[in-house]
Amino acid sequence: MTGLAVAPANATYPGRNGRIVYVNTLDSPDVEVGVNEIFTVRPNGTGRRQLTYRVNNDSPDWAPAGHRIAYVHWLKSGAVRIWVMGANGHHKHQLVPGGRHDFDQDPTWAPGGKRILFIRTSGVGRVDLMVYSLASHTVQALHVGRGFSLIPESPAWSPDGRTIVFSVLDKASNDGDPQTDLFTVRANGTGLTQITRTAKTSEEGVDWSPDGRRLLFTRLWGACEEEVNTMNPDGTDRRRVRSGCTTSEPAWSPDGHRILTYAVIGRRWGVWAMTPTGAHRRFIARGGDGHWQPLR
């Protein structure tokens, strides 16, 4: 497959499993629908800590060293920016510069922690994948979007740093109904390749396994059917992990032995942990968008 590079068979996992960061919606007297705030919790569901308290904050992602969290912060002016904070919520500050009409979301760290990948919606009517360099403080567009027709979403960097996988919302697909498929592209923006092409079915919310051999993603069809699947990075060998109405936002654990997903199981909804085959399920916390802290 053009442009695809995966980790070798002897690739090592990047670390042990630490705390879980996630988002929960809290009641607010100023906002009718509540506000999103970021929390962390131990893998057994104890020791919850609230890290953010101002306006809306979401899309948290641990740095590869597990010492910082990149996230989306909504300013009172209406601007949406990529911020960063320490593992305990200290030293919050805006990380990625943006123009007055830029809307930034979905940050994800590159292996090594020197770059951050994110989605930018600009005031000129374009949505694109962007790479921010922490060394040069510059932002580079990868030019994979096509205005507001093909919209990139939820990117993830491969463990070897060579390949980016992301979903693309095609507003003109599926007989006029929006549909989402998965694509890969090299880290320099070349070699764009579509890896899923399923009529009346959407794939989104994708993450790499720590050894680079599998992709974890949400598959959607019909009015409410959602399930978490895995497959090879070239789109082959798709396997079901967890099915049911409302099962989404999957993420792999640093050691590769567990996954996190938002799910409704029994009377409990929120972040659940389970094996990559869907076994040994444990409820973690009310909320969603869970990600596991890597520990060295």
Side-chain angles (χ1 to χ4, degrees):
M1 185 182 118
T2 304
L4 183 65
V6 299
N10 62 350
T12 58
Y13 292 157
R16 297 175 289 110
N17 301 338
R19 293 180 67 86
I20 294 167
V21 66
Y22 67 99
V23 176
N24 196 13
T25 303
L26 305 180
D27 292 335
S28 171
D30 302 318
V31 182
E32 183 177 350
V33 295
V35 295
N36 291 335
E37 300 295 358
I38 297 173
F39 295 76
T40 65
V41 67
R42 298 189 187 101
N44 63 3
T46 65
R48 189 181 74 158
R49 300 173 185 166
Q50 184 173 348
L51 303 187
T52 61
Y53 297 87
R54 297 172 53 195
V55 197
N56 271 296
N57 302 275
D58 53 37
S59 302
D61 189 64
W62 288 102
H67 66 305
R68 290 199 290 178
I69 300 169
Y71 65 102
V72 171
H73 178 62
W74 299 63
L75 302 175
K76 291 183 179 180
S77 65
V80 182
R81 297 286 183 261
I82 307 299
W83 281 42
V84 70
M85 61 181 165
N88 292 322
H90 303 309
H91 308 299
K92 297 179 179 73
H93 62 276
Q94 182 176 329
L95 182 66
V96 180
R100 180 178 178 184
H101 301 292
D102 291 336
F103 183 104
D104 297 340
Q105 56 187 332
D106 291 339
T108 181
W109 295 82
K114 296 181 179 180
R115 291 176 293 173
I116 288 182
L117 180 70
F118 65 99
I119 304 292
R120 170 165 286 176
T121 303
S122 69
V124 297
R126 182 177 181 84
V127 186
D128 207 347
L129 283 178
M130 314 293 289
V131 178
Y132 172 74
S133 168
L134 277 74
S136 63
H137 307 292
T138 57
V139 178
Q140 175 188 2
L142 296 187
H143 304 297
V144 299
R146 297 179 187 172
F148 286 104
S149 175
L150 292 178
I151 301 176
E153 301 175 333
S154 59
W157 224 306
S158 65
D160 62 11
R162 300 176 184 175
T163 308
I164 295 165
V165 65
F166 59 101
S167 56
V168 171
L169 175 64
D170 185 353
K171 289 190 173 182
S173 65
N174 199 13
D175 298 326
D177 294 329
Q179 180 176 328
T180 306
D181 285 296
L182 298 182
F183 287 69
T184 59
V185 69
R186 296 189 187 100
N188 63 3
T190 64
L192 182 66
T193 304
Q194 185 171 350
I195 61 173
T196 66
R197 195 185 303 270
T198 49
K200 299 186 183 302
T201 302
S202 289
E203 292 83 22
E204 61 186 35
V206 62
D207 192 26
W208 293 86
S209 65
D211 62 3
R213 294 182 174 183
R214 301 287 287 178
L215 296 176
L216 180 69
F217 62 98
T218 302
R219 186 169 179 260
L220 308 93
W221 71 98
C224 77
E225 290 292 335
E226 296 179 329
E227 66 181 22
V228 174
N229 285 202
T230 66
M231 67 179 178
N232 293 331
D234 63 359
T236 61
D237 191 27
R238 181 175 60 84
R239 303 177 190 178
R240 177 183 295 180
V241 176
R242 166 72 190 170
S243 63
C245 189
T246 314
T247 306
S248 59
E249 302 173 355
W252 229 293
S253 68
D255 68 3
H257 300 308
R258 305 281 283 171
I259 66 171
L260 295 174
T261 183
Y262 173 86
V264 179
I265 301 176
R267 296 184 178 181
R268 284 184 162 180
W269 63 267
V271 180
W272 287 76
M274 60 189 71
T275 69
T277 61
H280 304 295
R281 300 191 298 262
R282 175 193 286 272
F283 176 75
I284 304 299
R286 288 285 182 95
D289 202 12
H291 292 269
W292 229 308
Q293 178 188 25
L295 297 177
R296 301 294 180 177

